[in-house]
Amino acid sequence: MTMLKLFGVLFFCGLLSPSQEVLSGLSCAVSPKAMQNVLSEAILQNGLLQQHLQGLVLPNIMSEGGLLNSPTSITGLHLVKVRRPKLSVVLLSGVGVQLTIAAKLELTGDCLVGLLSELIDILVDVRITANIKCTNYEAGTVQVVFEDCLCLVGAVKIKLLSGLTTLPVNEAMLRQLTAALPALLCPVLEIVVNLVNIQLLGTLNAVIPVGTAGTIHYQLASLPFTSGLFLGMDLDGVVKQVGGNIIPHDSSPSALPPLLDKLLVLVLRQSFLNAVLALLIQTPPQTFPCTPEVFSSATPLREALLNLIPAGCPACRGSSPLSIKLTLGGSPLLFLEDNKATVELLVLLQVFVKRSDGAILNLLLLKADLSLNVHLSIVGGRLVLGLSLG
């Protein structure tokens, strides 16, 4: 199951929970830096913001000429490129997330100065800041609230494309740009945020196949909660066998550990992992022929097993070889301790011979509790459990 991929595109808004205790099978704490990386990729690097701003048309700008200046009219002004966009995130405890995007907008249009008409290029610095939070949790989904959007206009550079003359930025032009841009940019950013929310919610409401044994259904369990240091999320993980039978798991409260210098801390409860192991480890009975080659280093054991065959049963001592059958009894159990993990398995060992008439003669039945050491690692975005005999 691709745990890291699941949290690689993370849900990014939330409200403060009354407690940091969580009750579902999984939970995680996400640092502001990790959220910033995820949102920067979703909004900027994937071109989503550029796509929705492309061709944005601004109102006409009119500037009355003074004693030394001719009247100026700029029409058809539209955005052609978003240059050097940069996204930053601040967590607001009890509110949600403050999202800020700073960029240079390249605008172009037609300029009429007096009687001279030519193309004009405008480069303007903008900084858009908005608060984002989530409300109305229901069935794994939440509603995004986009509010308090503020757009600040910074330096403005104007260039006539003929290069024959320059056009100064006067107060009338700056005032009209300052009034027009926030009214256009904030609604666009709200659309982008809602689209990203849909994308990210999809990663937190997913059905992950586990081979052919069944599935794990992940779903947001409650509203995310924010502190000034991290965003916390609680997930439900429903483990289902093929056919729809749910493997139950007990979810007892636990607290999220501190992030320290990590980008993400993911908590998987022992009960949830046990349900997953019950799905993964469904090994059918295995039968092995007990040939001399198999027992070449354990001849005394083989001879001891052969001696168990009744002397009065010559048919039992025919050419039929000994066989060993291993059967897994019950579900495996994972036990987590400080810096240690073990898996306990109940194994049934059956040693038998098959008589010439097809009947089975059991020589040995042994019930064994195996304790396996577990080495946990993450390989290729997957949680890997390496098992070895203890």
Side-chain angles (χ1 to χ4, degrees):
M1 49 183 174
T2 54
M3 289 292 186
L4 291 188
K5 183 176 180 181
L6 175 68
F7 292 101
V9 279
L10 286 166
F11 193 67
F12 62 94
C13 55
L15 296 174
L16 185 67
S17 172
S19 166
Q20 290 181 16
E21 286 192 341
V22 287
L23 299 174
S24 68
L26 307 93
S27 61
C28 70
V30 187
S31 72
K33 179 64 175 177
M35 294 176 56
Q36 183 170 301
N37 293 342
V38 168
L39 293 178
S40 181
E41 178 179 357
I43 294 176
L44 302 183
Q45 297 172 29
N46 291 342
L48 190 62
L49 182 64
Q50 172 76 37
Q51 174 188 342
H52 284 79
L53 286 177
Q54 192 74 32
L56 188 68
V57 178
L58 278 73
N60 296 338
I61 295 177
M62 306 296 176
S63 175
E64 296 294 334
L67 294 176
L68 301 177
N69 296 325
S70 301
T72 303
S73 173
I74 301 175
T75 60
L77 195 62
H78 61 277
L79 185 140
V80 293
K81 189 175 183 180
V82 180
R83 294 188 181 182
R84 296 195 294 274
K86 185 177 180 180
L87 183 147
S88 60
V89 167
V90 175
L91 297 180
L92 305 177
S93 180
V95 176
V97 174
Q98 185 178 83
L99 177 68
T100 299
I101 296 179
K104 291 182 178 291
L105 304 184
E106 182 181 346
L107 309 170
T108 189
D110 298 311
C111 179
L112 180 64
V113 182
L115 299 177
L116 180 63
S117 176
E118 57 179 306
L119 294 177
I120 190 174
D121 191 52
I122 299 178
L123 197 62
V124 54
D125 291 343
V126 296
R127 182 180 181 89
I128 314 168
T129 301
N131 293 338
I132 303 169
K133 61 182 182 181
C134 297
T135 60
N136 300 334
Y137 169 82
E138 183 178 358
T141 63
V142 293
Q143 177 185 354
V144 168
V145 177
F146 183 92
E147 58 186 20
D148 300 328
C149 183
L150 176 65
C151 179
L152 300 178
V153 177
V156 179
K157 296 181 181 179
I158 297 180
K159 180 177 67 174
L160 296 175
L161 297 187
S162 67
L164 299 178
T165 183
T166 60
L167 188 66
V169 180
N170 58 38
E171 291 184 5
M173 290 182 179
L174 186 59
R175 184 169 60 251
Q176 292 177 66
L177 275 175
T178 303
L181 284 174
L184 295 173
L185 296 179
C186 282
V188 171
L189 184 58
E190 182 175 6
I191 292 173
V192 169
V193 164
N194 278 282
L195 289 174
V196 170
N197 173 55
I198 294 172
Q199 295 173 7
L200 301 186
L201 271 179
T203 69
L204 296 182
N205 193 340
V207 177
I208 309 297
V210 182
T212 59
T215 60
I216 301 176
H217 182 194
Y218 297 102
Q219 179 177 286
L220 195 65
S222 60
L223 281 173
F225 55 89
T226 56
S227 70
L229 300 177
F230 69 92
L231 176 142
M233 288 183 294
D234 209 359
L235 296 176
D236 279 330
V238 179
V239 184
K240 288 186 177 181
Q241 295 175 317
V242 171
N245 293 327
I246 295 178
I247 301 177
H249 59 88
D250 177 39
S251 297
S252 56
S254 61
L256 286 168
L259 274 173
L260 300 178
D261 59 346
K262 299 178 179 62
L263 295 179
L264 170 69
V265 171
L266 175 63
V267 177
L268 303 178
R269 279 160 195 76
Q270 180 174 291
S271 59
F272 172 76
L273 289 175
N274 276 329
V276 175
L277 283 178
L279 185 65
L280 288 172
I281 305 179
Q282 296 184 11
T283 306
Q286 303 290 316
T287 302
F288 307 95
C290 183
T291 62
E293 291 77 14
V294 172
F295 275 85
S296 59
S297 61
T299 303
L301 174 61
R302 184 172 186 274
E303 291 301 321
L305 294 175
L306 287 172
N307 289 334
L308 293 174
I309 300 178
C313 183
C316 299
R317 287 181 172 271
S319 58
S320 299
L322 293 176
S323 297
I324 297 177
K325 183 177 181 180
L326 295 176
T327 304
L328 185 63
S331 298
L333 293 177
L334 174 69
F335 294 94
L336 301 176
E337 305 174 62
D338 289 342
N339 301 317
K340 182 181 179 182
T342 55
V343 167
E344 291 191 357
L345 295 173
L346 174 61
V347 177
L348 302 178
L349 176 67
Q350 177 187 4
V351 181
F352 65 93
V353 293
K354 188 174 183 179
R355 299 193 318 188
S356 56
D357 60 359
I360 299 297
L361 176 64
N362 289 320
L363 303 180
L364 178 67
L365 291 175
L366 180 66
K367 181 188 294 185
D369 291 317
L370 297 183
S371 180
L372 307 179
N373 293 328
V374 180
H375 174 69
L376 299 172
S377 61
I378 296 175
V379 179
R382 295 175 181 268
L383 178 65
V384 177
L385 280 68
L387 305 180
S388 61
L389 280 172

